[in-house]
Amino acid sequence: MCALSLSARSNPPTDKELLDVFRPVFKRIAENAIQREIDGRRPLEEVKWLRESGFTAVRVPREYGGLGASLRQLHLLLIELAAADSNLSHALRVQFRFIEGHLKQRDTPWSSGWLKKIASGVVIAAGSAERTGQHGKPSTRVTESDGKFYVNGGKYYSTGSIYADYLSVTATNDQDEVVTVLVPVNAPGVEVIDDWVGFGQKSSGSGTAIFTNTLVDKENIMPPARGTGGHYAHVQLSHLATTAGIVRRATDEISEFVATRHRTYNQASAQVPADDPLVQSVIGRADAAAYSLKALVLQVAGQLDELADARYAQHRGDTLLTQQEIDQLERDAGLDTYRAQTVVFDVALRVTNEIFEVGGASAIDQRRHLDRHWRNVRTLASHNPLIYRHRQLGEYRLKGTSPFDKKDKTKNLASEDAGLGV
């Protein structure tokens, strides 16, 4: 009901209005997050709460049935959702990238139709990564037979697939071109397997999707997303928001643990841990990191708002910016996301490791599951190793070569864990 009343307002929502709507939902999700980790229960019911509250359509404009949040506001909410359960912010990563692709052409029947579907509760998930096939040329194929189109192949790390209605699948067509196909999860010939075996983000729904002569609509076959800096920024920034949320939750949990702890060490500087300056410094560094990572993510998200407005104005033909200026906004958004990525993961990995310094053996009690924070950050950071980010940024500073200006856009797209729809 809160989401519905909010969507009826004519002005853009404020941060407070959005937080008032979604914080109760996030709090409810957080209550059993550790128990779900222990039991291995997937948050299927919790995804339903997010749909019903309007969160999965929070970025959709109000005229199409959403809440009209900005990108900065979306990432503010993603950080809070990740603090409640990082699996869910991760699982919805493709959902929000898909929405963004349609927002820049939302006045077209095709995109407005999909935005309305999203507002009705439809969820999109990933079908991009493969264990086989070349970079930029998926082994999954879409073929035509007697005027009908069929998908055959398999995808790995299909993030969010067990919670979704459609998968955004990259495939190669009969002309040997890479395309994106929207495949209904419940279509005949689709098998979604919850077999992700990574040690982190265990409930992100990132298993295998298999397609066997799956019939798809011709209108749901389209070119893949263009490999621009802005595209990569969207794809990667959701990981950084999730990571910022993990650090906040880790800080909250270790602070609560220390505040109620009585045992300490002979060499400690105080009788109880909460009075120990060394322990206090660990908590202080964690808290400062959580604040800083949030601020960094929101700064980049604000840049993406500027870019999104420019792209839509360009689409409508009423922009005052030149093509060169818009391209520069794209490039800057991508580079700044890469810069943020190197800082966010480096800091988050150190924080989620250092929190164990304050608790001794009690901190490694499996009932607390404090280790999940490091495991989850390590999993997110492994998507695109920082060694490549460091090199790309260094090459740009030294030679002026942007990683988004490569001639082989298709190869670049595949290497960035992208290809996530329009």
Side-chain angles (χ1 to χ4, degrees), residues 59 70-72 74-75 78 92-94 96-101 103-104 226 228-241 300-301 303-309 311 330 333-334 337-338 404 416-418 420 422:
R59 177 77 176 124
S70 68
L71 279 165
R72 190 195 66 81
L74 168 63
H75 287 83
L78 284 173
L92 293 173
R93 177 189 187 216
V94 173
F96 292 113
R97 176 65 202 116
F98 182 85
I99 291 171
E100 211 57 38
L103 283 177
K104 62 186 177 185
R226 188 165 62 93
T228 63
H231 177 87
Y232 296 142
H234 283 289
V235 170
Q236 299 303 329
L237 195 59
S238 63
H239 280 332
L240 305 190
V300 178
Q303 291 178 250
L304 289 177
D305 275 317
E306 182 181 359
L307 176 59
D309 291 342
R311 279 297 187 198
E330 288 265 13
T337 302
Y338 281 9
F404 316 112
E416 296 293 338
D417 190 25
L420 305 177
V422 297

Side-chain angles (χ1 to χ4, degrees), residues 252-263 272-274 368:
D252 291 346
E253 288 185 359
I254 199 64
S255 298
E256 181 181 358
F257 169 70
V258 169
T260 58
R261 181 172 163 78
H262 299 291
R263 294 183 64 245
V272 294
R368 299 184 188 280

Side-chain angles (χ1 to χ4, degrees), residues 56-348:
T56 55
V58 68
R59 177 77 176 124
V60 173
R62 282 175 169 158
E63 58 266 35
Y64 302 112
L67 297 182
S70 68
L71 279 165
R72 190 195 66 81
Q73 290 173 325
L74 168 63
H75 287 83
L76 172 67
L77 295 171
L78 284 173
I79 291 169
E80 296 226 356
L81 174 59
D85 187 337
S86 65
N87 291 287
L88 291 174
S89 57
H90 187 184
L92 293 173
R93 177 189 187 216
V94 173
Q95 171 83 349
F96 292 113
R97 176 65 202 116
F98 182 85
I99 291 171
E100 211 57 38
H102 284 292
L103 283 177
K104 62 186 177 185
Q105 53 189 33
R106 56 185 176 270
D107 57 348
T108 65
W110 167 253
S111 288
S112 64
W114 272 106
L115 291 174
K116 290 174 183 176
K117 288 180 182 178
I118 296 292
S120 73
V122 166
V123 171
I124 313 294
S128 179
E130 294 185 353
R131 292 183 184 271
T132 58
Q134 307 172 32
H135 277 308
K137 186 169 289 187
S139 61
T140 298
R141 299 194 64 87
V142 56
T143 56
E144 182 180 3
S145 177
D146 296 327
K148 295 182 179 180
F149 294 85
Y150 300 88
V151 177
N152 284 277
K155 297 293 182 178
Y156 180 69
Y157 206 74
S158 304
T159 306
S161 56
I162 64 173
Y163 310 113
D165 302 294
Y166 289 84
L167 299 182
S168 178
V169 178
T170 52
T172 306
N173 66 12
D174 290 334
Q175 289 73 47
D176 214 29
E177 301 166 330
V178 177
V179 295
T180 297
V181 188
L182 291 172
V183 181
V185 171
N186 62 359
V190 177
E191 184 181 9
V192 173
I193 307 169
D194 187 13
D195 60 353
W196 166 241
V197 293
F199 60 54
Q201 295 299 98
K202 293 182 177 181
S203 294
S204 57
S206 302
T208 301
I210 299 173
F211 311 98
T212 306
N213 292 325
T214 302
L215 181 65
V216 294
D217 293 335
K218 181 180 180 180
E219 66 175 14
N220 285 342
I221 304 172
M222 67 209 81
R226 188 165 62 93
T228 63
H231 177 87
Y232 296 142
H234 283 289
V235 170
Q236 299 303 329
L237 195 59
S238 63
H239 280 332
L240 305 190
T242 296
T243 301
I246 292 171
V247 173
R248 171 48 62 196
R249 180 65 178 267
T251 301
D252 291 346
E253 288 185 359
I254 199 64
S255 298
E256 181 181 358
F257 169 70
V258 169
T260 58
R261 181 172 163 78
H262 299 291
R263 294 183 64 245
T264 188
Y265 295 90
N266 292 334
Q267 63 268 35
S269 302
Q271 303 235 335
V272 294
D275 292 334
D276 190 322
L278 293 176
V279 172
Q280 291 171 349
S281 68
V282 171
I283 301 297
R285 284 194 294 274
D287 183 61
Y291 169 83
S292 300
L293 298 190
K294 175 181 176 180
L296 189 55
V297 169
L298 296 185
Q299 168 67 24
V300 178
Q303 291 178 250
L304 289 177
D305 275 317
E306 182 181 359
L307 176 59
D309 291 342
R311 279 297 187 198
Y312 185 54
Q314 182 186 48
H315 169 75
R316 291 175 59 89
D318 57 5
T319 181
L320 298 178
L321 299 178
T322 65
Q323 182 63 53
Q324 185 177 10
E325 289 172 327
I326 293 176
D327 289 345
Q328 187 63 50
L329 286 175
E330 288 265 13
R331 188 176 299 110
D332 289 346
L335 287 168
D336 285 348
T337 302
Y338 281 9
R339 291 167 178 138
Q341 185 180 358
T342 65
V343 174
V344 169
F345 285 133
D346 181 57
V347 171

Side-chain angles (χ1 to χ4, degrees), residues 345-359:
F345 285 133
D346 181 57
V347 171
L349 287 168
R350 282 192 282 110
V351 167
T352 53
N353 178 58
E354 191 180 27
I355 59 174
F356 292 95
E357 295 292 333
V358 303

Side-chain angles (χ1 to χ4, degrees), residues 32-68:
N32 295 310
I34 294 179
Q35 193 60 49
R36 285 195 298 274
E37 180 86 7
I38 294 171
D39 298 340
R41 181 177 74 80
R42 302 299 183 244
L44 295 167
E45 184 69 16
E46 288 75 8
V47 172
K48 182 180 178 182
W49 301 343
L50 293 172
R51 291 183 196 241
E52 292 174 346
S53 69
F55 181 77
T56 55
V58 68
R59 177 77 176 124
V60 173
R62 282 175 169 158
E63 58 266 35
Y64 302 112
L67 297 182

